[in-house]
Each structure stands twice: as structure tokens, then as C-alpha cells.
Amino acid sequence: MKIEKEKVQLQALQLSPNADGGTLTLLESRKSYRLNRLHFSYVDILRNAGSIEGLVQFFLGQGWLVSFRELYNLLQFLVAENIVQNPSFKSYFLDQPNQEVHFHNAALEKGATLSLKAQDLPFFRSLEPALAAYLLQKAERLNAPPQARITQAGKKERDLYILLKGQAAIYRVLDEKRRQRIATLGPGAIFGETGFLLNLPRTADVITTQASEILRVPHLPEFDSLIKSDKAQSLQHRFWVLQALASSPFFKDLPNESLDSLIFTGKLYQAPAHQVLFQEGQPGNTCYILIQGNVVVSQKGKNINVLAQGSCFGEISLLVSGGQRTATITTQQNSILLEIHQNDFYRVLSQNIFLAKDIESLAAQRLENDANRAK
């Protein structure tokens, strides 16, 4: 189970509020810790919500936004002090930055004969039935033991994978031995899509963390021309989204595999030239990825930036500005955008706490850069 969905096991404790936040006291050892208001409220809700995902959804339901960086720091502290006792949390929050990961490159065994329907699979259910069936014609099930490396960072290999059963992890490669875990994949997760559609090198290692069943969809030479045909419009839209992410300054350091759920939640729409998408000071509950075209960013009537394909915008109001738009965005030319609603955005981030922390940090940096440009 992904740690974000796992029930958090806390030591028996007592929370005593005060004007600055409150005190957390462990009942067995009587050891006490002072918490700020934000951390105090997170611990209080975590006891009842039961999981990281549950906590995020509770706050979102109340109309409050979670600071993923603060939540991540709190969880690190609770794990380090053994207040959170889940073994999986310790390996995730304490060992992650410089983790030495043991894996092997053993050949995967063929599994049972394929009997899956396209509508039951992510990615394929968004395609026309005939196209999905064509792409799946040579797909095969594979059985993978724990610690099997399925994809290797830097390798140019074009097969697409779907995790049917089990669990795997996405690792950013730091050096020959050390890796940093980016996200955990559960059943239904898709990976290898960037290589499959764009012929780009793998952006991360994907390694199984338990015995798993994987669907491998081999890339065939005729797929590249098929993507560009009018018969595969939904596939072409998917290609555009991935192409934008691959060139995005905002997402360039985040493995595309870990952004799959975020891509699936969005809706593509076209905006004509000179359309105001939103205005400075307005409340905001959507963010956007610019697939084609460009937009102008302005503050207090002054143009401060022009964003091109691959840019993400609107995320600041979802993460670091209390729900308020910090700039006006206007299309310069006809543009295609991927619109992601706040509820979907937070649902995805609540299931990938490390990814959420990184995206929030990038949003905070964007806010600071925009403020400097406006001076």
C-alpha cells in the first residue's frame, strides 16, 4: 500500500492547545513537544483522518489548502521521534535522500494469457476502441519479483508498462549506488509513456518493491506515423501533453512517470488569441499546462513574463497564495491548454507527498521570481 493511503500508527498522545499552537505529550514517556499552529492542527486531524490522503481531503473539504512542505517536515519529525511507528514511513521519510537501493535486472517471466479489456486500462480507455485494440495487439503479462528494475534512467527503450498487481517505486538516480524515491506506484499505474510516445530516454528507474504483475506494451515502428494521423486524435492530444511536460521548466526535474495521474485528471481546451484566462486578485481553483501557443503574465498592468509551451501557471493560487491569483494571464495567440481543477490537483498530490512537496517548492520559487520581475 502507498504510504499516503496507509493508516498512520501514532503513539498514544495528548494534545494541549495554546495561543501559538499547542503541545504534544506522549502518554507513556511524558515527553512533550511544542508545535506551531499548523503542525498542531495537522496532528490533530491526522489522528482522526487516519492517513495523509485523508488529512489533505479533510482540509480541502473545509475550503483550506494544505502546505505540503510543512506537512512533509512534520511527518519527518514525527517519524524521527518515533511518534509515527509505521515501518514503511521510516524508510520513506528518513532513508530517502541518500538511499542505496538494491535491485537486479533479472529477466521477467511471462504471465497468464492476456484477457484484459482496453476500457479497464489507464491510457487505453481514453483512446478510440479500435486504436486501443491495435496498440494492445502484442501486449503481454509479465511476472516480476521484488527489487526488479523494470526501466532504467537514461536508457532509450520504448516499451510502455502498466502495473496490474503489486507495487513499484520511481527513483531519481543520484549516482551509481544512491537513488531518491520520487513516488510509489500501485495497481493501474502507467509508466514508460514518454519513451513510448516521444522516443526520449527514460527519466527514472522504476523498481518493484514487491512481487508484481506487469503489462508490457511493445512499441512498433508504425506507431510514430499513427500518432500524427487524424485517426488517432486522442493519442495525438496525449502526445502534445507529454511533449509540453518534457520541455517544461516547471516539471523538468520531476520524472514524467510520477505525473501520469496529474495528466489524466486534466481537460484539454482551446483558447483564442487575446483571451484573458484569469485576472490578478481573483480567487482561483484551477491551474494550467500550456500545450501549444503562449501567454502573457502581467501584474498591476505591467507585462512581466511570456510563457511558452510546457509552462505551468495558476498553480500559485492553489499552493502558496491562499487561493488568490497573483497575476493576470492573457493568451497571445490561439492556444491549447490542459486545465486541472483544484480538487483533482490536490487528490493527485495527496497520493504523492514527495512530489507534492517539490511542486509546492517550485510554485513558491515562481512567486518570488514574479515578484522580482514586477519591481
Side-chain angles (χ1 to χ4, degrees), residues 59-79:
F59 276 94
L60 191 60
Q62 302 299 311
W64 303 327
L65 302 184
V66 169
S67 168
F68 288 103
R69 288 176 295 173
E70 290 294 337
L71 178 58
Y72 187 92
N73 291 337
L74 171 66
L75 289 166
Q76 273 194 317
F77 160 73
L78 293 176
V79 172

Side-chain angles (χ1 to χ4, degrees), residues 18-37:
N18 58 41
D20 298 323
T23 301
L24 182 158
T25 303
L26 300 178
L27 298 184
E28 184 175 348
S29 66
R30 303 309 301 174
K31 191 172 182 179
S32 293
Y33 306 87
R34 293 177 62 89
L35 303 177
N36 63 35
R37 289 182 182 178

Side-chain angles (χ1 to χ4, degrees), residues 114 116 121 141-142 162-166 186-189 213-215:
L114 183 66
L116 294 170
L121 299 171
R141 289 179 188 258
L142 299 171
I162 298 174
L163 185 61
L164 301 176
K165 296 179 182 178
E213 187 175 273
I214 295 167
L215 180 69

Side-chain angles (χ1 to χ4, degrees), residues 201-217:
R202 300 298 194 193
T203 55
D205 281 3
V206 175
I207 300 171
T208 58
T209 55
Q210 56 185 244
S212 301
E213 187 175 273
I214 295 167
L215 180 69
R216 183 177 73 89
V217 182

Side-chain angles (χ1 to χ4, degrees), residues 102-163:
H102 299 283
F103 61 88
H104 51 84
N105 295 311
L108 306 182
E109 296 180 0
K110 287 190 177 182
T113 303
L114 183 66
S115 60
L116 294 170
K117 297 180 180 179
Q119 59 264 35
D120 297 327
L121 299 171
F123 178 73
F124 294 98
R125 61 173 169 256
S126 65
L127 305 178
E128 293 86 351
L131 175 60
Y134 178 73
L135 294 178
L136 284 169
Q137 61 181 315
K138 295 186 181 296
E140 61 179 350
R141 289 179 188 258
L142 299 171
N143 294 320
Q147 281 72 59
R149 183 164 64 180
I150 309 301
T151 68
Q152 181 178 352
K155 190 173 182 180
K156 242 188 173 180
E157 184 261 339
R158 302 197 65 178
D159 292 345
L160 179 72
Y161 298 91
I162 298 174
L163 185 61

Side-chain angles (χ1 to χ4, degrees), residues 283-287 317-318 323 325 340-343:
N285 62 0
T286 52
C287 69
S317 66
L318 303 187
R325 299 297 193 191
I340 302 170
H341 193 271
Q342 181 183 69
N343 290 348

Side-chain angles (χ1 to χ4, degrees), residues 68-69 172 182 241-256 258-259 262-263 286-290 305 307-320 338 340 345 349 354-370 373:
F68 288 103
R69 288 176 295 173
R172 177 186 293 142
I182 302 301
V241 172
L242 282 172
Q243 196 172 45
L245 289 175
S247 62
S248 168
F250 189 79
F251 292 114
K252 67 182 175 66
D253 292 326
L254 302 174
N256 295 125
S258 62
L259 298 170
L262 192 60
I263 298 169
T286 52
C287 69
Y288 301 86
I289 297 172
L290 186 57
N305 202 6
L307 303 178
Q309 174 184 304
S311 298
C312 179
F313 58 92
E315 81 290 343
I316 291 175
S317 66
L318 303 187
L319 292 168
V320 294
L338 182 72
I340 302 170
F345 189 66
L349 296 189
F354 188 88
L355 178 67
K357 176 181 70 74
D358 272 7
I359 288 180
E360 186 179 285
S361 296
L362 289 169
Q365 185 62 53
R366 165 80 66 79
L367 182 62
E368 182 179 340
N369 291 344
D370 284 351
R373 289 192 189 98

